[in-house]
Amino acid sequence: SEQPVAGDRWLRMQSRRTIEGGTVTICNDITELKRDAQALAEARDAAHAASIAKSQFLANMSHEIRTPLNGVIGLSQALAKTDLSGEQREMLDLMQASGRTLQTLLSDILDLARVESGKLELTEDAFELAGAVREAAQLYAENARDKHLGFHIDIDLDDGMWIRGDVVRLKQILTNLISNAVKFTSRGFVGLTVQRSLDQDGSPWLQFTVEDTGIGFDAATRNRLFSRFEQADGGITRKFGGSGLGLSICRRLADMMGGRLDCESEPGCGAAFILTLPLAQCEAPTRNEPVARPQSTPEDQRALRVLVADDHPTNRRVIELILAQTPVQVVVVDDGAQALEAFRTQAFDLVLMDMQMPVMDGLTATQEIRLHETAMGATRTPIVMLTANAMPEHIAAGRAAGADRHLAKPFNASELLAIVADPCAMMREEV
């Protein structure tokens, strides 16, 4: 047994019976062990609290940056629809390219927050492997051609192979590796090879190899390349840019998939990044016959009425400018309470609801709208949470409140226009 004694000290008491029938008690002073254990526990708790605080900070920064960035990207997309001179068009193209770079960085920050908080979940869906690989690779084929690089994709697999896994995260890893290869290669080629392999125990694996003839790196750089915010050196960072988050996230994703991500390189001789994942082959899913769409009626052809609730003036204007490209009637309000009042007194075909607003937040307003529909026996109106809150728990909260879709800011104009073109499609997809 252990017990405290005077002077804030601890003793461990152990009693043993002797052959003669007596008792021997051994006392050990374990005060230092207790203090060490307490210090370790406090350090563990402090590290856990710091990790939570850091992840929360990253998520908050993602939200705070997304809101103004949505205005920059949305307004530039609206401006692209107007008449511009050649010089103005060039400046706008540069603005939009910078916006896409910021979007990528925000996605990396959000992924880092999700991974480190343990809130990133992988899906297990069936997908056709070769098609997914080609889709990921072709995103950077044009960039390679612009740099006069050879670009090849070699998929050494059976035609029409279907596997189970998270196709979005697989594409994320491949596009990150390919974009890096193109970025760090000035001449020569970039290639992606996919083939089967066997693990040490003979189980089937997939091996994805992205190789290039770029600048390469030495062994010291290789050892820290997958650390967060790391790149080859300061000169590389200045010349090529980037946050240094991508490879760290990719390795974590590979680990979560039960695989591994490694690399081989020498300075000036290019590099090869090898992703190996367990092969979970499956049958192609049965395709459902398309459902015939009913013929439209004059009532269906009337202008859609869209309710927009957002407390940020710039974001409200962005939505108005984008929707001005379509024959819709838009009603704009500043908070959830106004949205609820407008919904109770007017008919709408679609609601675009921000999540964080004064007076009444978007989640509460969505819940109240659903209660009003139930009380009035009204048809369910599609509601989209149009918000800078993009963490999984935010998406789940929107669904729980009654939203049909979550569209994170900054969004592309085409995404919003597709929703407005057929708002009821969101609810059909849920069936």
mmCIF file of all heavy atoms in Angstrom, residues 9-35:
data_model
loop_
_atom_site.group_PDB
_atom_site.id
_atom_site.type_symbol
_atom_site.label_atom_id
_atom_site.label_comp_id
_atom_site.label_asym_id
_atom_site.label_seq_id
_atom_site.Cartn_x
_atom_site.Cartn_y
_atom_site.Cartn_z
ATOM 1 N N ARG A 9 5.592 13.661 2.147
ATOM 2 C CA ARG A 9 6.339 12.541 1.580
ATOM 3 C C ARG A 9 5.421 11.318 1.488
ATOM 4 O O ARG A 9 4.370 11.242 2.133
ATOM 5 C CB ARG A 9 7.593 12.208 2.413
ATOM 6 C CG ARG A 9 8.517 13.403 2.592
ATOM 7 C CD ARG A 9 9.867 12.994 3.141
ATOM 8 N NE ARG A 9 10.654 12.238 2.178
ATOM 9 C CZ ARG A 9 11.346 12.772 1.175
ATOM 10 N NH1 ARG A 9 11.357 14.091 1.011
ATOM 11 N NH2 ARG A 9 12.033 12.027 0.340
ATOM 12 N N TRP A 10 5.852 10.358 0.648
ATOM 13 C CA TRP A 10 5.062 9.156 0.419
ATOM 14 C C TRP A 10 5.911 7.919 0.730
ATOM 15 O O TRP A 10 7.109 7.872 0.418
ATOM 16 C CB TRP A 10 4.589 9.078 -1.030
ATOM 17 C CG TRP A 10 3.427 9.981 -1.324
ATOM 18 C CD1 TRP A 10 3.457 11.310 -1.546
ATOM 19 C CD2 TRP A 10 2.059 9.581 -1.409
ATOM 20 N NE1 TRP A 10 2.203 11.802 -1.780
ATOM 21 C CE2 TRP A 10 1.315 10.747 -1.715
ATOM 22 C CE3 TRP A 10 1.382 8.363 -1.271
ATOM 23 C CZ2 TRP A 10 -0.065 10.733 -1.864
ATOM 24 C CZ3 TRP A 10 0.005 8.349 -1.433
ATOM 25 C CH2 TRP A 10 -0.705 9.527 -1.712
ATOM 26 N N LEU A 11 5.246 6.914 1.369
ATOM 27 C CA LEU A 11 5.901 5.632 1.641
ATOM 28 C C LEU A 11 5.100 4.512 1.003
ATOM 29 O O LEU A 11 3.868 4.555 0.966
ATOM 30 C CB LEU A 11 6.009 5.380 3.149
ATOM 31 C CG LEU A 11 6.904 6.327 3.954
ATOM 32 C CD1 LEU A 11 6.849 5.945 5.425
ATOM 33 C CD2 LEU A 11 8.331 6.303 3.439
ATOM 34 N N ARG A 12 5.828 3.523 0.498
ATOM 35 C CA ARG A 12 5.183 2.303 0.006
ATOM 36 C C ARG A 12 5.464 1.206 1.035
ATOM 37 O O ARG A 12 6.615 0.869 1.311
ATOM 38 C CB ARG A 12 5.730 1.899 -1.356
ATOM 39 C CG ARG A 12 5.119 0.577 -1.871
ATOM 40 C CD ARG A 12 5.670 0.224 -3.220
ATOM 41 N NE ARG A 12 5.171 1.151 -4.233
ATOM 42 C CZ ARG A 12 5.839 1.474 -5.337
ATOM 43 N NH1 ARG A 12 7.046 0.963 -5.537
ATOM 44 N NH2 ARG A 12 5.314 2.311 -6.205
ATOM 45 N N MET A 13 4.399 0.623 1.613
ATOM 46 C CA MET A 13 4.495 -0.382 2.669
ATOM 47 C C MET A 13 4.208 -1.759 2.073
ATOM 48 O O MET A 13 3.198 -1.962 1.428
ATOM 49 C CB MET A 13 3.485 -0.082 3.781
ATOM 50 C CG MET A 13 3.400 1.398 4.172
ATOM 51 S SD MET A 13 4.868 1.979 5.049
ATOM 52 C CE MET A 13 4.695 1.099 6.611
ATOM 53 N N GLN A 14 5.129 -2.689 2.306
ATOM 54 C CA GLN A 14 4.964 -4.070 1.852
ATOM 55 C C GLN A 14 5.229 -5.002 3.025
ATOM 56 O O GLN A 14 6.317 -4.974 3.625
ATOM 57 C CB GLN A 14 5.935 -4.385 0.714
ATOM 58 C CG GLN A 14 5.655 -3.597 -0.558
ATOM 59 C CD GLN A 14 6.689 -3.879 -1.637
ATOM 60 O OE1 GLN A 14 7.890 -3.703 -1.402
ATOM 61 N NE2 GLN A 14 6.229 -4.325 -2.795
ATOM 62 N N SER A 15 4.260 -5.817 3.382
ATOM 63 C CA SER A 15 4.378 -6.753 4.510
ATOM 64 C C SER A 15 4.464 -8.181 3.994
ATOM 65 O O SER A 15 3.723 -8.561 3.078
ATOM 66 C CB SER A 15 3.177 -6.608 5.451
ATOM 67 O OG SER A 15 3.143 -5.306 6.011
ATOM 68 N N ARG A 16 5.347 -8.964 4.592
ATOM 69 C CA ARG A 16 5.520 -10.372 4.201
ATOM 70 C C ARG A 16 5.594 -11.248 5.449
ATOM 71 O O ARG A 16 6.163 -10.858 6.466
ATOM 72 C CB ARG A 16 6.803 -10.545 3.387
ATOM 73 C CG ARG A 16 6.814 -9.768 2.067
ATOM 74 C CD ARG A 16 8.116 -9.950 1.354
ATOM 75 N NE ARG A 16 8.148 -9.196 0.103
ATOM 76 C CZ ARG A 16 9.210 -9.096 -0.698
ATOM 77 N NH1 ARG A 16 10.339 -9.720 -0.349
ATOM 78 N NH2 ARG A 16 9.154 -8.400 -1.798
ATOM 79 N N ARG A 17 5.020 -12.423 5.320
ATOM 80 C CA ARG A 17 5.051 -13.393 6.425
ATOM 81 C C ARG A 17 6.369 -14.156 6.391
ATOM 82 O O ARG A 17 6.866 -14.527 5.330
ATOM 83 C CB ARG A 17 3.898 -14.373 6.290
ATOM 84 C CG ARG A 17 2.524 -13.736 6.276
ATOM 85 C CD ARG A 17 2.057 -13.328 7.645
ATOM 86 N NE ARG A 17 1.884 -14.480 8.520
ATOM 87 C CZ ARG A 17 1.499 -14.393 9.789
ATOM 88 N NH1 ARG A 17 1.292 -13.203 10.331
ATOM 89 N NH2 ARG A 17 1.349 -15.476 10.526
ATOM 90 N N THR A 18 6.932 -14.406 7.568
ATOM 91 C CA THR A 18 8.172 -15.195 7.657
ATOM 92 C C THR A 18 7.825 -16.649 7.896
ATOM 93 O O THR A 18 6.675 -17.013 8.210
ATOM 94 C CB THR A 18 9.069 -14.683 8.786
ATOM 95 O OG1 THR A 18 8.388 -14.911 10.035
ATOM 96 C CG2 THR A 18 9.361 -13.195 8.618
ATOM 97 N N ILE A 19 8.827 -17.504 7.754
ATOM 98 C CA ILE A 19 8.612 -18.948 7.994
ATOM 99 C C ILE A 19 8.203 -19.201 9.442
ATOM 100 O O ILE A 19 7.390 -20.081 9.747
ATOM 101 C CB ILE A 19 9.891 -19.729 7.656
ATOM 102 C CG1 ILE A 19 10.232 -19.555 6.171
ATOM 103 C CG2 ILE A 19 9.747 -21.206 7.991
ATOM 104 C CD1 ILE A 19 11.533 -20.232 5.772
ATOM 105 N N GLU A 20 8.758 -18.403 10.339
ATOM 106 C CA GLU A 20 8.459 -18.605 11.767
ATOM 107 C C GLU A 20 7.090 -18.062 12.165
ATOM 108 O O GLU A 20 6.695 -18.168 13.327
ATOM 109 C CB GLU A 20 9.533 -17.916 12.631
ATOM 110 C CG GLU A 20 10.909 -18.558 12.539
ATOM 111 C CD GLU A 20 11.658 -18.129 11.281
ATOM 112 O OE1 GLU A 20 11.143 -17.210 10.577
ATOM 113 O OE2 GLU A 20 12.719 -18.709 10.977
ATOM 114 N N GLY A 21 6.357 -17.455 11.209
ATOM 115 C CA GLY A 21 5.030 -16.943 11.534
ATOM 116 C C GLY A 21 4.999 -15.471 11.860
ATOM 117 O O GLY A 21 3.930 -14.912 12.138
ATOM 118 N N GLY A 22 6.135 -14.816 11.779
ATOM 119 C CA GLY A 22 6.172 -13.379 12.043
ATOM 120 C C GLY A 22 5.852 -12.583 10.782
ATOM 121 O O GLY A 22 5.530 -13.129 9.727
ATOM 122 N N THR A 23 5.974 -11.287 10.917
ATOM 123 C CA THR A 23 5.693 -10.379 9.802
ATOM 124 C C THR A 23 6.853 -9.395 9.636
ATOM 125 O O THR A 23 7.329 -8.820 10.626
ATOM 126 C CB THR A 23 4.405 -9.587 10.045
ATOM 127 O OG1 THR A 23 3.310 -10.503 10.197
ATOM 128 C CG2 THR A 23 4.115 -8.650 8.859
ATOM 129 N N VAL A 24 7.286 -9.242 8.394
ATOM 130 C CA VAL A 24 8.335 -8.269 8.078
ATOM 131 C C VAL A 24 7.714 -7.188 7.186
ATOM 132 O O VAL A 24 7.097 -7.508 6.167
ATOM 133 C CB VAL A 24 9.519 -8.928 7.343
ATOM 134 C CG1 VAL A 24 10.535 -7.865 6.928
ATOM 135 C CG2 VAL A 24 10.165 -9.979 8.226
ATOM 136 N N THR A 25 7.846 -5.940 7.599
ATOM 137 C CA THR A 25 7.311 -4.827 6.828
ATOM 138 C C THR A 25 8.454 -4.017 6.231
ATOM 139 O O THR A 25 9.383 -3.622 6.957
ATOM 140 C CB THR A 25 6.454 -3.907 7.713
ATOM 141 O OG1 THR A 25 5.363 -4.671 8.258
ATOM 142 C CG2 THR A 25 5.898 -2.740 6.895
ATOM 143 N N ILE A 26 8.391 -3.830 4.939
ATOM 144 C CA ILE A 26 9.422 -3.070 4.227
ATOM 145 C C ILE A 26 8.827 -1.739 3.797
ATOM 146 O O ILE A 26 7.757 -1.691 3.182
ATOM 147 C CB ILE A 26 9.917 -3.836 2.986
ATOM 148 C CG1 ILE A 26 10.478 -5.210 3.415
ATOM 149 C CG2 ILE A 26 10.967 -3.032 2.223
ATOM 150 C CD1 ILE A 26 10.844 -6.085 2.237
ATOM 151 N N CYS A 27 9.531 -0.655 4.126
ATOM 152 C CA CYS A 27 9.073 0.694 3.766
ATOM 153 C C CYS A 27 10.040 1.307 2.753
ATOM 154 O O CYS A 27 11.257 1.308 2.984
ATOM 155 C CB CYS A 27 9.010 1.591 5.012
ATOM 156 S SG CYS A 27 7.839 1.026 6.256
ATOM 157 N N ASN A 28 9.478 1.788 1.635
ATOM 158 C CA ASN A 28 10.278 2.476 0.619
ATOM 159 C C ASN A 28 9.766 3.898 0.464
ATOM 160 O O ASN A 28 8.551 4.130 0.360
ATOM 161 C CB ASN A 28 10.182 1.769 -0.738
ATOM 162 C CG ASN A 28 10.883 0.420 -0.722
ATOM 163 O OD1 ASN A 28 12.008 0.310 -0.259
ATOM 164 N ND2 ASN A 28 10.199 -0.600 -1.205
ATOM 165 N N ASP A 29 10.721 4.842 0.448
ATOM 166 C CA ASP A 29 10.349 6.236 0.227
ATOM 167 C C ASP A 29 10.161 6.446 -1.289
ATOM 168 O O ASP A 29 11.115 6.365 -2.061
ATOM 169 C CB ASP A 29 11.466 7.151 0.749
ATOM 170 C CG ASP A 29 11.055 8.631 0.713
ATOM 171 O OD1 ASP A 29 10.173 8.968 -0.108
ATOM 172 O OD2 ASP A 29 11.616 9.430 1.479
ATOM 173 N N ILE A 30 8.905 6.669 -1.698
ATOM 174 C CA ILE A 30 8.605 6.832 -3.132
ATOM 175 C C ILE A 30 8.198 8.273 -3.447
ATOM 176 O O ILE A 30 7.510 8.533 -4.432
ATOM 177 C CB ILE A 30 7.482 5.864 -3.569
ATOM 178 C CG1 ILE A 30 6.200 6.128 -2.761
ATOM 179 C CG2 ILE A 30 7.930 4.418 -3.442
ATOM 180 C CD1 ILE A 30 4.994 5.364 -3.281
ATOM 181 N N THR A 31 8.642 9.198 -2.621
ATOM 182 C CA THR A 31 8.276 10.601 -2.814
ATOM 183 C C THR A 31 8.703 11.112 -4.178
ATOM 184 O O THR A 31 7.922 11.759 -4.893
ATOM 185 C CB THR A 31 8.906 11.472 -1.713
ATOM 186 O OG1 THR A 31 8.501 10.977 -0.427
ATOM 187 C CG2 THR A 31 8.466 12.938 -1.877
ATOM 188 N N GLU A 32 9.932 10.816 -4.589
ATOM 189 C CA GLU A 32 10.420 11.308 -5.883
ATOM 190 C C GLU A 32 9.645 10.676 -7.041
ATOM 191 O O GLU A 32 9.356 11.331 -8.044
ATOM 192 C CB GLU A 32 11.922 11.017 -6.020
ATOM 193 C CG GLU A 32 12.791 11.813 -5.062
ATOM 194 C CD GLU A 32 12.587 13.316 -5.211
ATOM 195 O OE1 GLU A 32 12.490 13.782 -6.372
ATOM 196 O OE2 GLU A 32 12.489 14.006 -4.186
ATOM 197 N N LEU A 33 9.310 9.385 -6.915
ATOM 198 C CA LEU A 33 8.513 8.739 -7.950
ATOM 199 C C LEU A 33 7.150 9.407 -8.083
ATOM 200 O O LEU A 33 6.641 9.620 -9.199
ATOM 201 C CB LEU A 33 8.333 7.249 -7.635
ATOM 202 C CG LEU A 33 9.576 6.361 -7.760
ATOM 203 C CD1 LEU A 33 9.257 4.941 -7.303
ATOM 204 C CD2 LEU A 33 10.072 6.351 -9.203
ATOM 205 N N LYS A 34 6.535 9.731 -6.953
ATOM 206 C CA LYS A 34 5.237 10.402 -6.971
ATOM 207 C C LYS A 34 5.348 11.782 -7.625
ATOM 208 O O LYS A 34 4.486 12.184 -8.419
ATOM 209 C CB LYS A 34 4.701 10.543 -5.545
ATOM 210 C CG LYS A 34 4.100 9.276 -4.966
ATOM 211 C CD LYS A 34 2.753 8.998 -5.625
ATOM 212 C CE LYS A 34 2.033 7.835 -4.962
ATOM 213 N NZ LYS A 34 0.730 7.572 -5.604
ATOM 214 N N ARG A 35 6.420 12.507 -7.266
ATOM 215 C CA ARG A 35 6.594 13.841 -7.848
ATOM 216 C C ARG A 35 6.835 13.764 -9.353
ATOM 217 O O ARG A 35 6.317 14.574 -10.113
ATOM 218 C CB ARG A 35 7.758 14.547 -7.156
ATOM 219 C CG ARG A 35 7.441 14.967 -5.715
ATOM 220 C CD ARG A 35 8.650 15.536 -5.016
ATOM 221 N NE ARG A 35 8.309 15.946 -3.654
ATOM 222 C CZ ARG A 35 9.208 16.312 -2.740
ATOM 223 N NH1 ARG A 35 10.514 16.323 -3.054
ATOM 224 N NH2 ARG A 35 8.832 16.674 -1.540
#
